[in-house]
C-alpha cells in the first residue's frame, strides 16, 4: 500500500490504460484474421471462396461451394454459372454442367456489352429447353407466358417490339432464370395438383424489376402496388377465394394482417405469393410461420442466415395450406448484384413460378 | 434473422464467468495501485475503503463476447460490434481517468458527446421515433443531436445510479432482461446478444458488489455499462427501414432516467451560484436512505420498481398504439405519484426531526 500510495495519479492512469489498450491490441490481433477468414467463408461470398479453393487445387470442394452458393443465392450474374459449368466439364460431369449453361448464357445476355442480345437470349432459351423440353402446354397461357418472359428479356434491353420469340422460347427463357415451373400441374412436392393454370411473377427492387403478376387462367390479379401480393385458390375447383395486397415493407401491422389472412385460409387452399418492390422489412416470425404453413421455406441467405426474403428480393411462390415446409414451388433473386462497369447500382430480376395443366395445345 | 437461444445462453454464461473470474484479480490490482474509494465525501454511503476497477472486467468480457460470436457463431456477428469495441475502449479509458483523477462533469459530458457522435457516424442512429399516439416522427437532421444525447443520457443515468452497493448493476440487469424479452419477441438478434452479455456481466458482478460490496465498478464500469445499454437500443435501427421505439427503453430505464432528469433540474437551480457541475447528495437513493431505509432495502425497492417498469415496457411493446399511450400515461402517473409520496414522507420526517 505504501508503494502504491507513492505512485502518482498519472502513473496509475497510464498503467491501467496500458493494460486496457494491450487487451484491445490482443483482441484486434485475434479479431481481424478471424473476421477476414469468416468473411471469406461467408455463404454470400461463395464465388470468391470457390475460386480461391479452385486456385489452391481443391477442385471438388470448389464445385461443392459454388453449387451450394448458386442454389442459395440464385445470383443474376453470369460468372458463377460459367465457372461452375467449365469446372464440371473439366471434372468429367458434362450432364451436370448442362444445368448451369442456360443461366450462364442468360445472365451474360444482360451485360450491356453484348451486341446481339436477341441471339444471346434465344441461345439461353434453347439451352434451357434442351435440358427440360416442354412439348405440351396450354394455349390459354401463351399471352401470360409472353408477358412474363418479356419482363425478363427487358433486363437485357429488349422491348416487346424487338422481341420476336415463339411460345416455347418464352418458356425456355423463364426456365433459364432458375424459376420453378411445373408442367404436370403438380404444385412442387405438396402432392396437390392444381385444377387451373397459374403463373406468378414477383420483382423486387426498383425500376423495371418491380412488378407483381398472379395470373390464374389468363386473369392477372397482380397490381402495381408495393408489398406481398396473395391470391388464394380453391384446390378442388380452381375458384379464386381471396386476393389481397399487404404492404409488409411499411408496417408490422400489415404483416400481422397478412398473418391473420393466411391463418384464416382453409387447409388445402392453394396460395400464390408475389413480392412487388419489398416485403421483407417487417416480415415477422409469425408471418413467416404462416407462410411456412403453405410449404414455403427460408431458402435464401442474408448474413449467413437462411431467410425467406432479403431486402428488395424478387420472390414468387406457389404453395398449399398445410403442406410441409420446403414442398412448395418457390423462386427468388437477391437485389444485391451489380453489372460490369457499374458497381454502384444493385439489381436482381423478376422471378417466376408456375403450374401448367398437361394436355394443352401441342406446339 | 432467426433467434439462437443457445448463443444467448453461451454469451450470458461466458460474460458471467469472465466477470466472476476477473473481478478478484482487478480487486487485487486496485489495492495494489491504490485505486480505491475513500468514504471522505458526504455523498458516499459506505464506511470503509472499497477498491474500484470492478468495471474493467465488463469491458474485457465484452471483447471476449465479440470474439466468441465471430469465432463460433459468425452468422450472428454484427457489423456494429467492432465500432462498439472501439468506442467502448475510449469510454473505459475516460472512466479510468475519472476514477483516479476525478474528471469534471462538463469535460466528461463533452467527451461523451464527441464519442457518441463518432458512434452516430458509424451508423448508430435513430431517424424516427415512435409516437405514443401511433405512427412515427421523422427526426431528420435532429437525429444528429438526439442520438448522441440519448446514449449520453443513458450513460449518465447508469453512472448516477451507481451510488449504492449493487444498485447500478442490478438496475442494468433488470433493464437488460426487459429489453431482451422485447427483442426476443421482435426477432432482434443483435439486441438479444448484447442484452445477454449485459445480463451475464452484471449478474457475475453482483456476486461481489451486492451489499456489503467488496468492490465498486467505478466510473469505468458504469460508463461502459451505460454505453452498451444506450448503444444497444440503436443497433436494430441500422437497416434504415425499421423504426425503433425509444419509448420502450425509456420506460424500462425510467428510474435511472428520472433520477438523471431530477438531478439535472437541481443542477439548473444551482447554476446561479456557478455550481452546475457540482454533484450533490439528493439522488433518489440518497433520499430513500435519509428516510431511514437500509442500503439493502433501498436497493431492493428500486429493483422492484424497475422490474415493474420492465414488465410495463414489455406490455407496451405488445399492445396496439392506443393502449400503449395509456400504459405510458399509467407509468408517468405512477412515477409522479411516487415522487409526491416521497416528498410527503420527507416532509413528515423533517417535521418529526
Amino acid at each position: 500500500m505504501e508503494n502504491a500510495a507513492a505512485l502518482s495519479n498519472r502513473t496509475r492512469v497510464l498503467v491501467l490504460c496500458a493494460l486496457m489498450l494491450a487487451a484491445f491490441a490482443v483482441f484486434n490481433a485475434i479479431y481481424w484474421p478471424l473476421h477476414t477468414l469468416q468473411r471469406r467463408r461467408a455463404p454470400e461470398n461463395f464465388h470468391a471462396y470457390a475460386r480461391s479453393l479452385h486456385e489452391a487445387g481443391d477442385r471438388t470442394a470448389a464445385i461443392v461451394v459454388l453449387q451450394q452458393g448458386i442454389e442459395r443465392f440464385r445470383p443474376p450474374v453470369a460468372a458463377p454459372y460459367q465457372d461452375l459449368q467449365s469446372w464440371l466439364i473439366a471434372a468429367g460431369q458434362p450432364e451436370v454442367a448442362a444445368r448451369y449453361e442456360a443461366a450462364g448464357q442468360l445472365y451474360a445476355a444482360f451485360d450491356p456489352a453484348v451486341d446481339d442480345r436477341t441471339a444471346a437470349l434465344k441461345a439461353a432459351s434453347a439451352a434451357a429447353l434442351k435440358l427440360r423440353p416442354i412439348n405440351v402446354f396450354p394455349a390459354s397461357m401463351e399471352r401470360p407466358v409472353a408477358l412474363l418472359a418479356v419482363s425478363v428479356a427487358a433486363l437485357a434491353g429488349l422491348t416487346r417490339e424487338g422481341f420476336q420469340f415463339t411460345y416455347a422460347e418464352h418458356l425456355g427463357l423463364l426456365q433459364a432464370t432458375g424459376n420453378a415451373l411445373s408442367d404436370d400441374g403438380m404444385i412442387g412436392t405438396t402432392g396437390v395438383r392444381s385444377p387451373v393454370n397459374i403463373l406468378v411473377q414477383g420483382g423486387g427492387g426498383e425500376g423495371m424489376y418491380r412488378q407483381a403478376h398472379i395470373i390464374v387462367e389468363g386473369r392477372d390479379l397482380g397490381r402495381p402496388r408495393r408489398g406481398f401480393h396473395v391470391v388464394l385458390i380453391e384446390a378442388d375447383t380452381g375458384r379464386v377465394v381471396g386476393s389481397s395486397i399487404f404492404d409488409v415493407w411499411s408496417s408490422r401491422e400489415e404483416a400481422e394482417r397478412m398473418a391473420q389472412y393466411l391463418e384464416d385460409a382453409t387447409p388445402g387452399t392453394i396460395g400464390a405469393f408475389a413480392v412487388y418492390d419489398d416485403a421483407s422489412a417487417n416480415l415477422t416470425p409469425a408471418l413467416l410461420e404462416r407462410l411456412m404453413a403453405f410449404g414455403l421455406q427460408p431458402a435464401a441467405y442474408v448474413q449467413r442466415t437462411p431467410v425467406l426474403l432479403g431486402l428488395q428480393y424478387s420472390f414468387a411462390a406457389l404453395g398449399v395450406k398445410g403442406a410441409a415446409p420446403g414442398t412448395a414451388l418457390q423462386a427468388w433473386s437477391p437485389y444485391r448484384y451489380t453489372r460490369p462497369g457499374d458497381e454502384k447500382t444493385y439489381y436482381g430480376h423478376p422471378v417466376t413460378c408456375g403450374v401448367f395443366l398437361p394436355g394443352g395445345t401441342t406446339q | 434473422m432467426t433467434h439462437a437461444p443457445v448463443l444467448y445462453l453461451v454469451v450470458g454464461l461466458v460474460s458471467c464467468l469472465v466477470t466472476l473470474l476477473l473481478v478478484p484479480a482487478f480487486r487485487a490490482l486496485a489495492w495494489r495501485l491504490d485505486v480505491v474509494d475513500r468514504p471522505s465525501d458526504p455523498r458516499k454511503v459506505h464506511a470503509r475503503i472499497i477498491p474500484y476497477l470492478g468495471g474493467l472486467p465488463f469491458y474485457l468480457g465484452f471483447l471476449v463476447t465479440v470474439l466468441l460470436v465471430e469465432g463460433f457463431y459468425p452468422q450472428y456477428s454484427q457489423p456494429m460490434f467492432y465500432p462498439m469495441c472501439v468506442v467502448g475502449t475510449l469510454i473505459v479509458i475516460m472512466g479510468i481517468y475519472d476514477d483516479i483523477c476525478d474528471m469534471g462533469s462538463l469535460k466528461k459530458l463533452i467527451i461523451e458527446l464527441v464519442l457518441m457522435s463518432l458512434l452516430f457516424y458509424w451508423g448508430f442512429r435513430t431517424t424516427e421515433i415512435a409516437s405514443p399516439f401511433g405512427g412515427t416522427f421523422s427526426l431528420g437532421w435532429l437525429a444528429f443531436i438526439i442520438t448522441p444525447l440519448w446514449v449520453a443520457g443513458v450513460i449518465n443515468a447508469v453512472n448516477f445510479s451507481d451510488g449504492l452497493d449493487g444498485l447500478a448493476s442490478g438496475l442494468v440487469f433488470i433493464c437488460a432482461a426487459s429489453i431482451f424479452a422485447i427483442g426476443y419477441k421482435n426477432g432482434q438478434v443483435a439486441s438479444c446478444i448484447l442484452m445477454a452479455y449485459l445480463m451475464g456481466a452484471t449478474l457475475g458482478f453482483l456476486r461481489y458488489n451486492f451489499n456489503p460490496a467488496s468492490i465498486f465498478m467505478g466510473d469505468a464500469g458504469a460508463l461502459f455499462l451505460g454505453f452498451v445499454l444506450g448503444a444497444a437500443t440503436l443497433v436494430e435501427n441500422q437497416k434504415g427501414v425499421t423504426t425503433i421505439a425509444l419509448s420502450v427503453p425509456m420506460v424500462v430505464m425510467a428510474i435511472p432516467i428520472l433520477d438523471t432528469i431530477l438531478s439535472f433540474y437541481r443542477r439548473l437551480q444551482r447554476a446561479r451560484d456557478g455550481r452546475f457541475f457540482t454533484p450533490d447528495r439528493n439522488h433518489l437513493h440518497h433520499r430513500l436512505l435519509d428516510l431511514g431505509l437500509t442500503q439493502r432495502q433501498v436497493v431492493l425497492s428500486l429493483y422492484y420498481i424497475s422490474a415493474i417498469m420492465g414488465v410495463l415496457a414489455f406490455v407496451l411493446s405488445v399492445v396496439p398504439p392506443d393502449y400503449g399511450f395509456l400504459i405510458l400515461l399509467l407509468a408517468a402517473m405512477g412515477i409522479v405519484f411516487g415522487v409526491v409520496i416521497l416528498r410527503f414522507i420527507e416532509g413528515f420526517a423533517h417535521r418529526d426531526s
Side-chain angles (χ1 to χ4, degrees):
Chain A
M1 276 290 282
E2 278 177 18
N3 286 344
L7 291 173
S8 69
N9 281 348
R10 181 181 287 182
T11 311
R12 291 188 186 105
V13 170
L14 282 177
V15 168
L16 289 169
C17 288
L19 194 64
M20 291 302 108
L21 287 173
F24 189 56
V26 171
F27 165 78
N28 277 289
I30 302 171
Y31 177 83
W32 284 112
L34 193 62
H35 181 70
T36 310
L37 180 72
Q38 299 289 22
R39 250 190 102 175
R40 199 158 62 91
R41 286 183 179 171
E44 61 266 34
N45 297 330
F46 66 93
H47 192 203
Y49 184 44
R51 276 186 166 168
S52 71
L53 287 171
H54 196 261
E55 280 165 18
D58 194 350
R59 301 195 170 171
T60 312
I63 288 172
V64 170
V65 168
L66 202 45
Q67 272 179 322
Q68 279 180 348
I70 284 173
E71 182 54 36
R72 286 168 175 172
F73 294 98
R74 308 279 170 90
V77 283
Y81 302 95
Q82 290 170 341
D83 276 356
L84 185 55
Q85 191 191 352
S86 65
W87 296 351
L88 284 165
I89 290 169
Q93 302 177 54
E95 303 82 20
V96 186
R99 285 188 213 161
Y100 302 97
E101 186 186 350
Q105 288 184 345
L106 179 85
Y107 296 126
F110 286 6
D111 190 331
V114 172
D115 291 334
D116 190 350
R117 289 185 191 130
T118 303
L121 288 178
K122 280 185 185 262
S125 175
L129 290 171
K130 185 173 66 183
L131 193 71
R132 190 179 169 211
I134 298 177
N135 299 317
V136 178
F137 42 91
S140 63
M141 297 303 279
E142 185 169 347
R143 280 172 62 88
V145 165
L147 170 76
L148 303 193
V150 165
S151 71
V152 174
L155 298 173
L158 294 184
T159 58
R160 189 184 296 273
E161 291 73 32
F163 185 67
Q164 299 302 323
F165 279 23
T166 65
Y167 188 4
E169 282 169 339
H170 282 142
L171 212 48
L173 203 56
L174 288 183
Q175 281 195 59
T177 55
N179 295 306
L181 301 177
S182 159
D183 55 357
D184 59 3
M186 297 301 291
I187 300 175
T189 53
T190 58
V192 174
R193 188 185 298 274
S194 172
V196 284
N197 294 294
I198 309 170
L199 260 180
V200 185
Q201 188 174 65
E206 292 159 16
M208 59 187 171
Y209 317 121
R210 191 160 60 173
Q211 54 197 289
H213 299 283
I214 300 182
I215 302 168
V216 182
E217 281 302 340
R219 182 176 154 222
D220 192 353
L221 299 163
R223 297 283 176 272
R225 271 178 56 194
R226 183 180 61 207
F228 239 125
H229 291 236
V230 184
V231 171
L232 299 176
I233 301 153
E234 221 166 49
D236 298 333
T237 61
R239 186 172 65 91
V240 172
V241 290
S243 170
S244 199
I245 302 167
F246 304 90
D247 189 1
V248 179
W249 182 86
S250 71
S251 72
R252 291 178 69 85
E253 285 73 28
E254 280 291 283
E256 283 161 17
R257 198 167 69 83
M258 180 169 166
Q260 192 57 51
Y261 185 74
L262 298 181
E263 178 71 17
D264 294 342
T266 314
T269 304
I270 297 169
F273 306 91
V275 167
Y276 181 103
D277 189 344
D278 179 73
S280 72
N282 287 292
L283 205 160
T284 59
L287 176 54
L288 178 62
E289 199 182 305
R290 301 297 184 283
L291 286 164
M292 286 172 73
F294 273 79
L296 277 63
Q297 67 169 348
Y301 270 67
V302 169
Q303 290 183 344
R304 311 179 206 198
T305 304
V307 292
L308 186 78
L309 284 175
L311 188 66
Q312 296 195 310
Y313 271 34
S314 296
F315 184 82
L318 265 170
V320 177
K321 176 85 180 274
T327 56
L329 287 173
Q330 197 173 318
W332 68 94
S333 173
Y335 193 72
R336 59 184 290 274
Y337 286 87
T338 54
R339 287 197 173 130
D342 180 10
E343 304 303 319
K344 286 184 181 168
T345 310
Y346 289 91
Y347 76 102
H349 63 74
V351 292
T352 314
C353 271
V355 284
F356 298 95
L357 297 182
T361 308
T362 304
Q363 284 277 287
Chain B
M1 193 178 268
T2 48
H3 277 299
V6 176
L7 170 63
Y8 305 149
L9 191 68
V10 170
V11 165
L13 284 175
V14 166
S15 62
C16 184
L17 207 63
V18 169
T19 314
L20 281 172
L21 291 175
L22 290 184
V23 166
F26 276 92
R27 187 168 52 194
L29 182 69
W31 282 119
R32 203 173 168 79
L33 293 175
D34 193 31
V35 184
V36 294
D37 189 9
R38 293 189 166 79
S40 51
D41 188 324
R43 288 182 300 132
K44 313 281 184 181
V45 294
H46 54 285
R48 58 202 171 85
I49 300 173
I50 310 272
Y52 279 136
L53 305 187
L56 298 190
F58 296 152
Y59 165 69
L60 298 177
F62 187 73
L63 297 185
V64 171
T65 299
V66 172
L67 285 181
L68 173 91
V69 176
E70 190 67 43
F72 297 100
Y73 295 89
Q75 67 273 37
Y76 292 101
S77 180
Q78 307 288 326
M80 64 288 260
F81 285 172
Y82 188 77
M84 284 181 77
C85 291
V86 175
V87 177
T89 307
L90 299 172
I91 288 271
V92 166
I93 286 174
M94 182 177 79
I96 289 171
Y97 183 82
D98 193 27
D99 280 334
I100 296 171
C101 300
D102 203 9
M103 188 187 264
S105 302
L106 177 62
K107 250 192 234 170
K108 204 157 59 176
L109 184 65
I110 290 171
I111 295 175
E112 281 168 10
L113 288 174
V114 169
L115 291 179
M116 294 318 117
S117 304
L118 191 64
L119 210 60
F120 181 90
Y121 168 76
W122 266 320
F124 288 73
R125 62 188 66 170
T126 180
T127 49
E128 288 177 334
I129 292 183
S131 158
F133 302 101
T136 55
F137 298 116
S138 179
L139 291 174
W141 61 269
L142 274 176
F144 178 68
I145 297 170
I146 287 177
T147 310
L149 275 177
W150 162 251
V151 186
V154 175
I155 289 175
N156 283 295
V158 174
N159 197 19
F160 286 162
S161 69
D162 187 26
L164 295 181
D165 293 353
L167 182 57
S169 42
L171 289 183
V172 170
F173 177 85
I174 293 166
C175 287
S178 311
I179 296 174
F180 178 88
I182 294 163
Y184 198 88
K185 183 190 73 66
N186 292 337
Q188 296 169 331
V189 173
S191 182
C192 285
I193 292 172
L194 293 171
M195 292 306 125
Y197 152 77
L198 278 179
M199 283 194 284
T202 48
L203 198 63
F205 187 65
L206 277 171
R207 156 82 179 75
Y208 305 101
N209 187 238
F210 195 70
N211 186 256
S214 65
I215 190 166
F216 288 158
M217 66 172 76
D219 281 337
L223 295 178
F224 184 74
L225 285 185
F227 160 69
V228 175
L229 197 58
T233 58
L234 302 174
V235 293
E236 295 294 346
N237 199 36
Q238 292 208 325
K239 291 162 192 128
V241 286
T242 52
T243 303
I244 194 156
L246 288 187
S247 51
V248 169
M250 270 183 194
V251 173
V252 176
M253 294 184 274
I255 296 299
I257 288 174
L258 174 73
D259 196 30
T260 308
I261 291 168
L262 290 175
S263 164
F264 185 76
Y265 175 68
R266 290 194 303 274
R267 281 168 185 245
L268 278 180
Q269 286 183 321
R270 293 201 300 271
R272 271 169 274 163
D273 310 330
R275 294 189 298 128
F276 182 83
F277 291 102
T278 312
D280 63 15
R281 199 187 178 285
N282 279 317
H283 284 289
L284 197 56
H285 50 270
H286 288 130
R287 295 168 73 166
L288 290 171
L289 281 173
D290 290 346
L291 288 177
L293 272 70
T294 65
Q295 264 209 66
R296 277 193 181 210
Q297 284 171 334
V298 172
V299 168
L300 292 175
S301 310
L302 292 175
Y303 282 1
Y304 180 69
I305 297 168
S306 202
I308 290 175
M309 287 298 172
V311 172
L312 271 182
F314 184 77
V315 175
L316 181 66
S317 72
V318 291
V319 297
D322 297 349
Y323 295 103
F325 173 66
L326 284 177
I327 288 169
L328 278 179
L329 196 68
L330 193 71
M333 279 170 63
I335 289 167
V336 170
F337 185 67
V339 172
V340 170
I341 292 282
L342 182 63
R343 293 301 294 263
F344 190 67
I345 297 171
E346 279 178 338
F348 263 107
H350 277 297
R351 206 176 59 184
D352 289 349
S353 64

